[in-house]
Structures are given as structure tokens and as C-alpha cells.
Amino acid sequence: MEFIEKINQLKERAVTLRDNLQTEEATKNALVMPFLNALGYDVFNPLEVVPEYIADSRLKKDEKVDYAIMKDGAPIILLECKKVDNDKLDVKKHAGQLFKYFTASKAKFIILTNGIVYKFFSDIEEQNILDKEPFFTFNLADYKESQIETLGEFCKDNFDLEKAYLNAGNLKYIKQFESVIESEYRNPSDDFVRYLLDKSGIYDGVKTAKVIEKHKKTTVEAFNLFMSKVMKTSLDFSLALKQEEKVNKNEIVTTSEELEGYAIVKSLLRGVTDITRVTYRDNSSYFNVILDDNIRKTICRLYFNRSQKYIAFLEENKENRVPINSVNDIFQFEDQIKNKVCDILNIKK
């Protein structure tokens, strides 16, 4: 069975069982052990997985971590488990415990888990000192395919200690850079706007607070234009492949503009909901962007198959169409799109 299929099955198992797991031990038996098994480790072979692994520190003896994954007689990954209802998995609350276990062993990775969420730690910032934040988090109830690839690096057959440690460092910095980029995209800082003005060489005057404030809007529009170009290139390629596969001439053809609009809506909803829940259904009249593949959860409709383009929202079963000039105009409806999803999910705005 493919690794992704194992993880998908484990997700179904977790959703079914989580409400019936009242203790840490039940969580370990029902979820954590099957997780280790999915990674390819024999949980009943002490040469591969040792339960209640003794990780003595200088300050305290008989310290036991829930599991240690072994290789050549030495621990390579430690797992500390909490019961499944510990949804937040407060890192600060368990930091001291993780630090002791990590310091007392020769393992290079330690995972904090409640059977649903798995937080991976290492000593990337300072050697032999456990980082305060995980370099990778895998949520069994909500994950992306790219995260399954990262998780796959910790499978028994794939695991390479040096490569995994190097990738851990890359993941940590990528995550931090992504956070900075998203922050600058949503609310450009003075320093970032000043950097763009300096780098572009188009403004020679004094960069006063008024000038910086003026060009914050320019920066956001530039971000939107760049994102639109990137998405269009990717979507054009994807669309070309799909159209090659079409054999029925009467089949509805989804255009590159419609897919570009769909991608923009998804990008605007980052941080509001899991964007994998945002899907679409195309028909001859309009392109429907929906939530959970449910037409009763319509986010918006795109009318792009005519000379005048429209974006439409449903309010009490009545459609409100607004004319737009280009696909990029969808960015102007960010608040309305977010509010619509919040209404669907009953989230307070």
C-alpha cells in the first residue's frame, strides 16, 4: 500500500475513534502505534521501537519517554505522547519535559503528539539545545500532500539522519520566511516599502513617511499582480493538460481565466479556512466557487464567458452581480469573500 493511502486510512481511523479515547494509554494504542506502523516501524520489535525508553538526565534518574525509534542500538527519534483531547498541545507546557528527554539521549529528533497532531523538534538553532518551536507539524485531521512528502522522509525505508536534519533546518527557515512574506503581503512594513523603492531605482527623492505610506498600496497591488502571473502560468499549463484529455466536444470547458479566479479566491482565504476545502463546479452559465464540494455552500460565482465579466454573491438566495474588468479585480472583494466563508462556517468576524 502507498504511504499516502496509509495516512489517509489513519486519518479516517482518528476521526472515528478520537471521541472514545479517554486516556493517554488509549491514545497510544489506537493512534500513535498505528502511526509508527504506517512509517514502517515494527512496534512490537524492541530493536526498532522501545516503549517507556529510559532517558536518564543528570538531575533525575528513571526518566522515561513514551517511545524511542531505534537504529543500530541507538535512539534516533523520541516520541512523547499526550491524550487525544489535548488538542492545543501546548509546547510551552511540555517544553521542560521535552528538553530533559532530548538532552539525556543521543536522538536527533523528538516528537510531541496527541495522536492527531505531531510536532517535530530538533536542535537547529543551537547544537544540543532543543529548539523552542517545532520545525514541522503534521496534523492527521488536516494535512496537505506536500506535508505527507515531508513526513515520508521519516519512514523507516527512507530515513537518512543527515539528510533529515538538513531538511529540518530548511523547513524551519522556510516556515519563518513564509510568515514574513505573508505579513509583508497583507500589511507591508515601512522597511519593506523602502527596500522596494531603493531596489527598483524609480524614486530618487527623500523617502518621507508620506511617500512610504503612499507606496504601501502600490506594494500590495504589485504583490497581487505577481501572484496573478504565477498562478496564470501554472493554471495555463494545468488547463492545457486537461484539455488534451477532453474527448467529448460537448463537455464544458473550464477556461484559464476561471481557474485563475478560483486560485485568487483560494489565496484570499488562507488563514480563514483550510484552502483544500475550497473547490469549484463549472457549468455553461457560470463558474461556481464552493466550500466542501457543496453547492449549498457557494462562496461566489464567476461569470467569465462573456464580454462583461462579473463576480456574484448569493444573499438570501438572491444573486448580487458586480461587474469587474479583469480577473485581478477579485482581490478587491477580499473582505466580502472572507465574510461569506465566515457566515458559512458560523465563525465570528
Side-chain angles (χ1 to χ4, degrees), residues 238-255:
S238 175
L239 184 62
L241 291 178
K242 288 182 179 180
Q243 289 181 332
E244 283 180 8
E245 298 171 356
K246 293 185 183 292
V247 293
N248 184 352
K249 292 184 179 180
N250 294 323
E251 188 177 357
I252 295 171
V253 177
T254 301
T255 68

Side-chain angles (χ1 to χ4, degrees), residues 265 269 272-273 278 291 298-299 336-347:
V265 172
L269 290 171
V272 178
T273 187
V278 181
L291 194 68
T298 295
I299 299 171
Q336 202 163 346
I337 289 169
K338 287 182 175 179
N339 288 339
K340 185 64 179 177
V341 171
C342 287
D343 288 341
I344 293 172
L345 298 175
N346 293 319
I347 298 174

Side-chain angles (χ1 to χ4, degrees), residues 70-330:
M70 311 293 288
K71 185 176 182 180
D72 299 328
I76 53 174
I77 304 173
L78 304 178
L79 284 92
E80 177 59 20
C81 307
K82 304 301 173 185
K83 64 180 181 179
V84 75
D85 64 352
N86 190 349
D87 288 333
K88 293 183 179 180
L89 263 185
D90 190 344
V91 173
K92 291 182 179 179
K93 180 179 179 181
H94 305 294
Q97 192 177 23
L98 296 177
F99 178 84
K100 284 189 296 183
Y101 293 153
F102 185 82
T103 304
S105 79
K106 295 181 180 179
K108 211 59 179 167
F109 301 98
I110 186 168
I111 302 171
L112 176 66
T113 182
N114 63 357
I116 303 290
V117 178
Y118 293 80
K119 295 188 175 184
F120 290 67
F121 295 82
S122 190
D123 57 348
I124 296 163
E125 296 179 8
E126 185 176 352
Q127 193 170 9
N128 298 324
I129 303 295
L130 191 68
D131 295 339
K132 294 180 180 179
E133 296 295 331
F135 64 84
F136 175 58
T137 298
F138 187 83
N139 187 339
L140 196 55
D142 182 14
Y143 53 79
K144 302 174 183 177
E145 284 194 22
S146 59
Q147 292 177 309
I148 292 182
E149 289 183 26
T150 301
L151 182 64
E153 294 178 5
F154 290 87
C155 287
K156 175 184 173 182
D157 293 339
N158 300 335
F159 188 76
D160 180 308
L161 182 60
E162 292 184 5
K163 182 179 177 181
Y165 186 70
L166 177 63
N167 289 343
N170 291 337
L171 278 172
K172 187 176 183 70
Y173 289 110
I174 288 172
K175 180 180 176 182
Q176 291 175 340
F177 290 172
E178 179 189 22
S179 177
V180 171
I181 291 171
E182 182 173 0
S183 175
E184 294 292 354
Y185 164 63
R186 304 228 175 251
N187 185 23
S189 65
D190 292 357
D191 288 340
F192 186 69
V193 176
R194 188 176 290 107
Y195 167 79
L196 290 180
L197 290 171
D198 289 339
K199 194 70 174 178
S200 62
I202 59 174
Y203 186 84
D204 296 327
V206 178
K207 299 173 184 66
T208 63
K210 187 176 180 180
V211 170
I212 296 296
E213 190 62 33
K214 172 187 174 183
H215 286 288
K216 284 187 177 181
K217 182 179 179 181
T218 308
T219 301
V220 171
E221 291 177 352
F223 260 124
N224 290 339
L225 180 60
F226 172 73
M227 289 173 61
S228 179
K229 286 181 177 179
V230 171
M231 287 186 289
K232 186 176 187 305
T233 300
S234 176
L235 291 170
D236 281 347
F237 177 73
S238 175
L239 184 62
L241 291 178
K242 288 182 179 180
Q243 289 181 332
E244 283 180 8
E245 298 171 356
K246 293 185 183 292
V247 293
N248 184 352
K249 292 184 179 180
N250 294 323
E251 188 177 357
I252 295 171
V253 177
T254 301
T255 68
S256 60
E257 276 192 324
E258 289 171 332
L259 288 176
E260 185 179 353
Y262 167 61
I264 290 174
V265 172
K266 288 182 70 173
S267 72
L268 293 176
L269 290 171
R270 290 194 63 179
V272 178
T273 187
D274 175 9
I275 60 173
T276 60
R277 297 177 65 182
V278 181
T279 56
Y280 70 84
R281 290 193 192 177
D282 200 2
N283 59 51
S284 58
S285 300
Y286 55 82
F287 183 91
N288 206 17
V289 184
I290 57 182
L291 194 68
D292 298 333
D293 198 28
N294 187 338
I295 59 173
R296 291 189 295 275
K297 297 182 180 180
T298 295
I299 299 171
C300 64
R301 292 173 175 174
L302 306 178
Y303 288 86
F304 286 177
N305 54 357
R306 58 195 71 190
S307 56
Q308 174 61 61
K309 296 179 174 62
Y310 295 90
I311 182 171
F313 297 92
L314 295 180
E315 301 296 340
E316 297 181 353
N317 296 323
K318 294 182 179 179
E319 185 183 68
N320 178 27
R321 293 189 196 179
V322 182
I324 58 177
N325 296 320
S326 70
V327 180
N328 287 335
D329 287 348
I330 294 174

Side-chain angles (χ1 to χ4, degrees), residues 17-27 83-85:
L17 298 178
R18 65 178 300 168
D19 292 338
N20 297 300
L21 303 175
Q22 304 300 320
T23 65
E24 180 182 307
E25 200 63 29
T27 300
K83 64 180 181 179
V84 75
D85 64 352

